[in-house]
Amino acid sequence: MKRKKLLVTFAICLIVCIFTACSTNKKTIDICGKTYVYDKEGFGSDFIISFYENNKFYYCEGVLSSYIAYGTWEIKNNVITLQDEDPHFYNSFILKENKLIWQEKTSSNFLYLKISDGDTFSEADENYISTKKGLILDEDEVKNIYKIYK
């Protein structure tokens, strides 16, 4: 009897873990391949963050910035954390619908543009992406830039 209860408890825990993993993966998929644009003025142009499918990202604070950030991102409980290749820069956002909401308490802020707690980035639509192709880089372009500077 005890063995049967233990087995049932284990099975229930396993099912809960599986469903939890599925919901986390769904949220991860929701930002892969997307670009977000700062809702205020960037550093000479739009400040954009792009997420790649392999948990890599890049951001550029604007055309006046000489710093193009590249690093890894992770998502846990609707909080997205970006960790630049430069360990001094890490930033957290809450994902809510099609917006990233910046979290000051768990962030270092950015190099040139200092943003405020609660500032938002909106998901770029197809029209924005097609008109701003020069600002939005694919991962290979970012890697090539990093090779030049390293």
Side-chain angles (χ1 to χ4, degrees), residues 4 27 35 46 56 59 62 68 75 98 109 116 131 140:
K4 200 172 198 176
K27 289 176 184 170
T35 295
D46 291 338
K56 297 285 188 178
Y59 67 76
I68 294 178
I75 186 169
N98 68 337
N109 219 316
S116 300
T131 59
D140 289 335

Side-chain angles (χ1 to χ4, degrees), residues 10-138:
F10 176 75
I12 290 170
C13 288
L14 183 62
I15 290 169
V16 168
C17 288
I18 289 169
F19 283 114
T20 302
C22 290
S23 68
T24 301
N25 288 341
K26 183 182 183 317
K27 289 176 184 170
T28 299
I29 291 168
D30 284 345
I31 65 168
C32 291
K34 292 186 179 179
T35 295
Y36 291 81
V37 183
Y38 187 42
D39 290 331
K40 295 182 180 177
E41 182 65 30
F43 193 53
S45 69
D46 291 338
F47 178 175
I48 60 172
I49 302 172
S50 289
F51 294 93
Y52 304 124
E53 304 261 341
N54 58 1
N55 287 70
K56 297 285 188 178
F57 75 91
Y58 99 94
Y59 67 76
C60 180
E61 297 174 52
V63 295
L64 298 178
S65 173
S66 61
Y67 181 68
I68 294 178
Y70 180 67
T72 58
W73 62 268
E74 68 176 6
I75 186 169
K76 289 182 184 173
N77 299 324
N78 240 26
V79 176
I80 300 168
T81 303
L82 310 181
Q83 178 61 62
D84 293 20
E85 290 284 317
D86 180 335
H88 295 99
F89 297 106
Y90 52 91
N91 289 282
S92 295
F93 300 86
I94 292 176
L95 177 62
K96 188 172 183 180
E97 296 173 13
N98 68 337
K99 296 226 183 240
L100 299 177
I101 305 166
W102 189 72
Q103 304 298 294
E104 182 176 30
K105 289 182 182 177
T106 53
S107 299
S108 64
N109 219 316
F110 299 93
L111 183 62
Y112 294 107
L113 196 62
K114 301 303 180 194
I115 67 176
S116 300
D117 191 38
D119 279 358
T120 58
F121 290 72
S122 295
E123 183 181 340
D125 61 17
E126 291 299 320
N127 184 49
Y128 179 89
I129 291 171
S130 67
T131 59
K132 303 287 184 171
K133 287 184 181 177
L135 289 176
I136 302 171
L137 306 175
D138 65 33

